[in-house]
Amino acid sequence: MTSRINHIIAFLSVILTLTGNSNHKKQSTVVNQSNDIIDQKVDSLMALMTLDEKVGQMNLYNGFWDVTGPVPKEGSEKTKYDHLRKGWVGGMLNVKGVKNVREVQKIAVEETRLGIPLIIGFDVIHGYKTLSPIPLAEAASWDLVAIEKSARNAATEAAASGINWTFAPMVDISRDPRWGRVMEGAGEDPYLGSKIAKARVHGFQGDDLKKDNTIAACAKHFAAYGFAEAGKEYNTVDIGTSTLFNMVLPPFKAASESGVKTFMNSFNDLNGIPVSASKYLQRDILKTKWDFEGFVVSDWASINEIISWGYAKDKKEAAKIASLAGSDMDMEGHVYIQELVNLVKEGVVEEAIINDAVKRILKVKYELGLFDDPYKYCNTKNEMERIGSKAHLEDALDMAKKSIVLLKNETQLLPLKKEGQKIALIGPLAADKNSPLGSWRTASEDHTAISVLEGMQTYRGNALEYSKGIDLIIGKTSFVKEVNINTTNRDGIKEAIEVAKNVDVVVMVLGEHGFQSGEARSRTQLDLPGLQQELLEAVYKVNKNIVLVLNNGRPLAIEWASENIPSIVVGWQLGSQTGNAIAQVLYGDYNPSGKLPMTFPKSIGQIPIYYNHKNTGRAKNVENNVFWSHYIDEENAPLYPFGFGLSYTQFAYKNIIIKSSNFSINDAVNISVEISNIGDYDGKEVAQLYIRDLVGCVIRPIRELKGFELVLLKKGETKTLEFVLTKKELGFYNNNGDFIIEPGDFEVYVGGSSDANLKSEFTLK
């Protein structure tokens, strides 16, 4: 106890010395001074730490026992508990609730020699108890303010539950919807992905991490996880440097520039090296070139998996490789805690490597205010008042409505009339209260979503009849188990047909179960799972007035539906307020404005398919011959392109103006365009600007998103929008990772999707 008291006295002396004259500094020096103070506090604390205690800070354990129950007496739980009491644990994950967090924090703070508080991590992906839409759906809103607010609410609820660190946002760019984790990201485009990464980081972290409603964010998965071969989870990645620098890394760089406190590496390899072992990514790019000051945490046991990859022969070698590469904290790999101390003592790993990692970890804990008050996130009043609040539910509903994408409304079945119609609601997901919550909702309660049936029942002016039709799944589902799809039981199809025969409109809610997307949910087929296509076609035979509402966590291949069904709505998995959001859109109380953040393919054989592809040497069929880049059994074009989405009204673009045709490299290029609402409803449009750099030292994509604006237009209204292109938008990365801008000719396109055809040109001299 004496050493602990001496530490506290020394610690307070350092604080008093460092803060004595700070009140008279100008505002511009306050931040730097604050950082200097934290650095010196960390240094003084580290001077008191043993090597075992330092390595302990690099050790992240999963919640391992019921903290309200007896202390573990044997096995791995006993080992973890002993490590916690020795100060050999830097953080814990999957411990939630004020009571539980307080108990583990109390051990770390009051029973260890130095009393260093724990950082408490959790997968707060699209909400805590109150669930917003899955991240891919939020990206479809293109509404950065709403996305930031969604992350802010998630942080507020998680912080009220004792959590101070989230393993989000996932900023992986992916072009392959077979990969289940596309639901967790922002889609296929690095420009949109970078904007959303910044919004989510700021939403989680706010302007001051010491506030009790902010949590540290984590940009993941560093890097290239979204390019896993064949869309298969935990798989290898083989991409060129042009793709790495121009497609994969920009959202991570944006997160770093936004002050994200942590990065998480991923399960894939890159160029033959597991990324947990990649010095190039973690030290050379992230910590040196980008000057990232936070810490890097492994994904679950990914340091241990260096052995499985065949890149290390045992745990000792894996610990050496990962620590030297720049992985600062080992999540549930048990590798650092078992091997690093001896590696340092043997001179294999310099203690300076350990010191760098520990300093980064401790600095984040200081920035979170945990040393000022280790129990700042353990306020039972906040837990009662902030979790599941009415305001958060209202925001979740707003976010859900903004995320919905209208793909087709050929015969204007939508919006539905509010009275005088007979409507049939059919489908295995129509009354489901669990699937709409989506994947990654481990703090929410099952079966708490508002179903589409419940949402539509609030509109009482029409006769509404419901039939499930078929079951989508057999048995129970959970995050850790396979989803068993019904492929044999057709018992309800006959009833659905009878219900559909005598109504004006059929609303069919079909798609994926919420646990069919997410981690380890790769699919080789992207059609409607199970018997849903059969149900859809059977109903279509008796009533063609169908509104298809998709509940999905990824782009689906729905070519038959696109050719035959008159109205199609992408309803995603929208979280707690799913049914209310969909009903309000279907009935016209909210005019849909969402745009696709990923391309929808016609068939899986087109995958990967994405809008910003390169031209190739034989991109066009000039003379109707076979020797050009195409399929002989499918078109090159997607079913629905990136950025596509309709409204109940219509928008027209005209008069694109660039005031000059020639600019110097240092000039800003100002572009204006007129947009008019020429339809019958007020509505919002996401106006998108794309460029094409015609010639470069590295082949450039045929189009690149470089600007967008969400604009509200009343019926008959016209507005002039202004876009500005600077070096940041006009430049790109060469194959050495250097950002360059070259003179040459550019094309500009403005419109409502990546297929925009309103065009202008300019030249950089």
Side-chain angles (χ1 to χ4, degrees), residues 401 404-406 585 590-594 646-648 684:
K401 290 186 291 187
I404 293 171
V405 182
L406 178 64
V585 166
Y590 190 88
N591 191 350
S593 57
L646 302 176
S647 168
Y648 294 149
K684 287 187 293 185

Side-chain angles (χ1 to χ4, degrees), residues 152-165:
R152 166 99 322 275
N153 289 346
T156 297
E157 290 197 3
S161 183
I163 293 157
N164 49 51
W165 180 26

